[in-house]
């Protein structure tokens, strides 16, 4: 019972991270399951089975809030399902000794990617045009394969690629990726069922992860407005890197003074990434404050409203006075004109 409670807390924490970042539920859950000694294939299978429920709830919520582009979902979900099924079959066919460093390596690389991505300012500009199927298909295929073999990775691979394209609103990127993950999680679970059988799913762990994720779903919607994604992404990236570095060093038989030195280097890199994330966050907030002050000072809006319609701020230019219109004096009637009074 104590272990199940811990797993429920794991699912809750993973859903909080996923709700705030639009990614990393599988990364966080799989990393912590590997840390407590669960076999790689069983960890990925259990996480993906739990994700069927969590992604369904997330997809319905995003659909209700209008955050889903169904065209993108249709073109990325089916290739993602094919990649996830292939990845689950591949992971089920290799031994635990071979799967552990493989899965830890994928998680380590994705954690390092989170560190790099969130240590820089997040992209907010958009470009015109629509995403093409020749881009979405290969992206879904690769993201699905990485997701199944690494125990997570659908969000960290698909979400940044769609954001960098600049052709979708961030809220629709997150909503479409989360909604399509329901199909990917189902295909991965089917692949693990064929490769491992029903005994490959640790059903008590699945139930605990699912309960924790469902409890955290509404809390995550509130958390995303409180905790900056810039800091949370860098923080969780460092946790994933340090945790999976332990498995990689053990697989490489790296011992002696080298192991503490590696941990120190990774900790310094994590601290540097957090410092850069704070710097980028403060810079973004300053830019927003300057833009808001400029708007309040009298910059015309897109709708063409005048500066006098905006609130004045100290030190800003005074609004132009409104002069009364001149009075119209009646003209005398001309000769021969009928009197209309």
């Amino acid at each position: 019972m104590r272990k199940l409670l811990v797993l429920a807390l794991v699912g809750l924490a993973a859903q909080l991270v996923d709700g705030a970042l639009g990614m990393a539920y599988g990364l966080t859950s799989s990393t912590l399951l590997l840390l407590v000694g669960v076999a790689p294939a069983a960890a990925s299978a259990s996480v993906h089975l739990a994700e069927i429920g969590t992604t369904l709830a997330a997809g319905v919520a995003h659909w209700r809030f209008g955050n889903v582009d169904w065209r993108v979902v249709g073109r990325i979900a089916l290739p993602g399902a094919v990649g996830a099924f292939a990845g689950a079959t591949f992971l089920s066919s290799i031994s635990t000794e071979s799967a552990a460093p493989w899965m830890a390596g994928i998680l380590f690389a994705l954690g390092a990617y989170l560190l790099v991505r969130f240590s820089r300012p997040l992209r907010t500009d958009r470009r015109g045009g629509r995403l093409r199927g020749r881009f979405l298909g290969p992206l879904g295929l690769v993201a699905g394969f990485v997701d199944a073999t690494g125990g997570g990775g659908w969000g960290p691979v698909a979400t940044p690629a769609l954001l960098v394209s600049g052709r979708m609103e961030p809220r629709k990127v997150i909503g479409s990726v989360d909604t399509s993950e329901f199909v990917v999680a189902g295909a991965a679970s089917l692949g693990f069922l064929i490769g491992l059988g029903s005994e490959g799913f640790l059903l008590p762990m699945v139930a605990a992860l699912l309960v924790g994720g469902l409890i955290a779903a509404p809390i995550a919607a509130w958390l995303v407005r409180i905790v900056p994604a810039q800091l949370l992404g860098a923080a969780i990236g460092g946790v994933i890197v340090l945790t999976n570095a332990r498995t990689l060093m053990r697989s490489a038989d790296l011992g002696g003074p080298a192991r503490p030195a590696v941990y120190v280097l990774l900790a310094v890199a994590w601290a540097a990434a957090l410092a850069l994330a704070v710097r980028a966050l403060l810079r973004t907030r300053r830019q927003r404050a300057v833009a808001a002050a400029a708007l309040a000072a009298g910059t015309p809006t897109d709708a063409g409203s005048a500066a006098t319609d905006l609130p004045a701020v100290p030190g800003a230019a005074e609004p132009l006075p409104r002069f009364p219109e001149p009075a119209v004096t009646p003209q005398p009637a001309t000769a021969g004109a009928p009197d209309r009074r």
Side-chain angles (χ1 to χ4, degrees):
M1 180 59 66
R2 182 180 303 174
K3 193 172 185 179
L4 292 179
L5 289 176
V6 171
L7 289 175
L9 292 176
V10 168
L12 188 145
Q15 184 61 40
L16 289 177
V17 173
D18 190 83
L21 297 180
M23 64 181 76
Y25 178 88
L27 287 182
T28 309
S29 301
S30 298
T31 296
L32 297 178
L33 287 181
L34 291 177
L35 185 62
V36 299
V38 178
S44 184
S46 301
V47 167
H48 281 90
L49 188 59
E51 278 185 326
I52 293 179
T54 58
T55 55
L56 177 61
V60 171
H62 283 300
W63 168 67
R64 289 177 63 88
F65 283 102
N67 296 337
V68 180
D69 187 331
W70 291 107
R71 175 182 173 274
V72 173
V73 171
R75 297 197 175 192
I76 198 174
L78 295 181
V82 174
F85 183 85
T89 305
F90 169 76
L91 189 63
S92 302
S93 63
I94 61 179
S95 63
T96 302
E97 291 76 14
S98 301
W102 170 273
M103 191 169 176
I106 292 177
L107 293 173
F108 182 91
L110 293 174
Y113 176 76
L114 291 180
L115 277 179
V116 174
R117 176 176 183 260
F118 287 99
S119 63
R120 299 178 299 173
L122 302 180
R123 186 190 183 109
T124 57
D125 59 316
R126 294 182 59 199
R127 295 194 293 269
R130 302 174 66 184
L131 291 167
R132 298 184 178 181
R134 62 185 181 185
F135 167 75
L136 295 173
L139 174 63
L141 189 67
V142 172
F145 185 84
V146 171
D147 183 70
T149 55
W154 175 256
V157 174
T159 300
L162 295 179
L163 287 174
V164 168
S165 70
R167 301 182 186 277
M168 291 180 65
E169 298 177 58
R171 66 181 183 90
K172 288 200 171 184
V173 169
I174 294 176
S176 301
V177 170
D178 280 355
T179 303
S180 58
E181 193 173 6
F182 171 74
V183 180
V184 174
S189 299
L190 180 61
F192 283 119
L193 179 63
I194 296 175
L196 301 176
S198 58
E199 63 274 6
F201 298 97
L202 306 176
L203 295 181
M205 292 187 177
V206 172
L209 290 173
L210 179 59
V211 170
L214 293 178
I215 292 175
I219 303 176
W222 168 80
L223 183 68
V224 71
R225 301 187 305 171
I226 304 300
V227 180
Q230 194 98 43
L231 297 182
L232 188 60
I236 198 63
V239 172
I240 293 172
V241 165
L242 287 175
T243 305
N244 289 281
R246 173 174 171 265
T247 304
L248 291 176
M249 287 188 290
R250 182 183 301 172
S251 301
D253 292 329
L254 187 63
R259 183 173 293 187
V262 172
Y263 278 125
V264 170
L265 290 176
L266 293 177
V268 170
W270 187 14
L274 285 173
L276 290 174
V278 172
R279 181 182 176 184
L281 178 64
L282 294 178
R283 184 188 309 167
T284 302
R285 288 184 174 179
R286 282 196 300 267
Q287 292 174 349
R288 291 178 179 174
V290 170
L295 183 65
T299 303
T301 62
D302 294 336
S305 60
T308 52
D309 296 331
L310 300 174
V313 295
E318 293 295 332
L320 295 176
R322 298 180 182 269
F323 295 100
E325 297 181 358
V328 179
T329 57
Q331 299 293 330
T334 59
D339 190 0
R340 300 181 181 274
R341 290 178 295 174

